[in-house]
Amino acid sequence: MHLVAAIQMISGPDVQANLDQAAPLIAQAAQAGAKLVLLPECFAAFGNRSLKEIGEAECSGQQPITRFLSRQASKHGIWLIGGSIPLPRAAGKKPMACCLVFDDQGQQVARYDKLHLFDVEVEDNHRSYRESKDYGYGDAIVCVDTPVGRVGLSICYDVRFPELYVALRQAGAELIVVPSAFTAVTGAAHWEVLLRARAIETQCYILAANQGGLHPGGRETFGRSCLVDPWGEVMDSLTTGEGVLCQSIDHDHLNTIRARMPVDRHRRLVPAQAIVAAAKESD
Ligand SMILES: NC(=O)CCC(=O)C(=O)O
């Protein structure tokens, strides 16, 4: 049994205020015994006009957010996953929506750049989201070995693309994290069912840390951070507002489910020529 935690926040554009909001929640998770703690997407900067400046500061000597994550991880002796921050791959380049992983010594051990950017029209006050204006596209899948097992990294909108999660499972993931800033409207429709589906398909634990509430500027996020087990059961979830969810993951339970229903061994690729043949037949 390993304790893991998801932190739910209501972040705004003030980086220092967000870090001040996160610090006591991280401490609470560590005090509860969590070995791995997940922060939500955009935990340090939400709704900012210029993400480029924030990313540049992380490439300079200052690195306010990266250093915060490293210090918090080593101070509490936890593995800390910084949901997402704007971080270019090199100074002067466009930032990526980047998830950083720090070990319990405060060393950065992994980086994942969000693959699927949220360029979507949502029916809440007719909002348009255009993440690709601010961020570049990631191009790699990333797993990292931690004391709670092999962890696959993903971010928010990624959860709608099951092939990423199958690839993470094939890369050995046992726990997949989904730091998020899921909108209130799309969350009410799809949040839980998507997370449960990804857990069932991959037979992994899914740990999702969401933003949850009304943000400065009027955007509303769904909350309901949760842990889903490899059978698809929601083991625990928050409502809205700031909070910490702390739950255990059990490798024996995961291995039993995988042994009884070995979907990964049964997976067959649908041959492209079969699709063509079916289309011809209906002509
Ligand atoms: N920041 C995001 O990726 C939002 C994703 C979301 O709300 C969705 O419905 O998908």
Side-chain angles (χ1 to χ4, degrees):
M1 294 281 212
H2 302 285
L3 268 186
V4 297
I7 289 181
Q8 185 163 294
M9 295 176 63
I10 308 176
S11 302
D14 181 337
V15 172
Q16 191 53 52
N18 293 328
L19 302 186
D20 292 345
Q21 189 190 151
L25 298 170
I26 297 170
Q28 193 182 322
Q31 274 155 24
K35 296 281 169 276
L36 177 141
V37 177
L38 175 66
L39 288 159
E41 186 181 29
C42 304
F43 73 95
F46 186 102
N48 298 65
R49 277 180 194 277
S50 175
L51 294 172
K52 196 155 191 276
E53 272 168 29
I54 295 168
E56 285 304 318
E58 295 305 312
C59 290
S60 72
Q62 303 164 1
Q63 298 187 294
I65 308 170
T66 313
R67 284 198 180 158
F68 167 84
L69 291 169
S70 166
R71 274 201 303 269
Q72 290 289 317
S74 60
K75 176 176 164 191
H76 295 294
I78 52 168
W79 282 62
L80 184 58
I81 306 185
S84 77
I85 66 170
L87 188 62
R89 288 185 177 165
K93 300 276 187 212
K94 196 172 185 179
M96 318 297 275
C98 173
C99 178
L100 296 176
V101 183
F102 292 83
D103 71 11
D104 54 2
Q105 311 290 306
Q107 291 298 315
Q108 187 188 311
V109 291
R111 168 187 182 141
Y112 165 70
D113 294 331
K114 188 175 183 180
L115 278 168
H116 305 96
L117 297 179
F118 191 56
D119 287 356
V120 170
E121 317 298 322
V122 175
E123 279 296 311
D124 69 332
N125 305 328
H126 306 285
R127 262 179 209 278
S128 285
Y129 296 84
R130 288 288 173 273
E131 283 189 346
S132 64
K133 263 176 57 189
D134 292 317
Y135 296 115
Y137 287 91
D139 53 13
I141 71 154
V142 182
C143 279
V144 56
D145 286 321
T146 79
V148 308
R150 183 167 286 191
V151 176
L153 304 178
S154 71
I155 302 176
C156 200
Y157 186 51
D158 282 335
V159 77
R160 294 183 182 274
F161 300 89
E163 59 280 8
L164 167 62
Y165 293 78
V166 171
L168 288 169
R169 163 74 202 268
Q170 287 175 337
E174 294 159 311
L175 167 70
I176 300 178
V177 294
V178 193
S180 298
F182 229 81
T183 79
V185 171
T186 57
H190 299 152
W191 172 251
E192 186 179 309
V193 72
L194 284 169
L195 295 168
R196 293 188 63 207
R198 299 298 83 84
I200 294 165
E201 288 157 2
T202 59
Q203 300 176 321
C204 287
Y205 281 94
I206 303 280
L207 181 65
N210 203 6
Q211 296 276 348
L214 190 58
H215 301 259
R219 265 178 70 177
E220 202 176 347
T221 47
F222 186 62
R224 274 83 172 178
S225 299
C226 60
L227 179 70
V228 187
D229 84 351
W231 190 243
E233 191 179 326
V234 178
M235 298 182 65
D236 201 357
S237 68
L238 300 177
T239 55
T240 49
E242 287 178 16
V244 177
L245 174 147
C246 209
Q247 263 292 342
S248 52
I249 63 172
D250 176 355
H251 285 264
D252 290 341
H253 179 55
L254 176 142
N255 290 330
T256 303
I257 288 168
R258 289 182 178 187
R260 288 188 181 152
M261 193 187 283
V263 293
D264 209 42
R265 267 199 284 123
H266 294 163
R267 180 166 286 110
R268 301 181 66 213
L269 292 178
V270 178
Q273 60 275 31
I275 300 168
V276 172
K280 273 192 187 137
E281 222 158 78
S282 68
D283 279 348

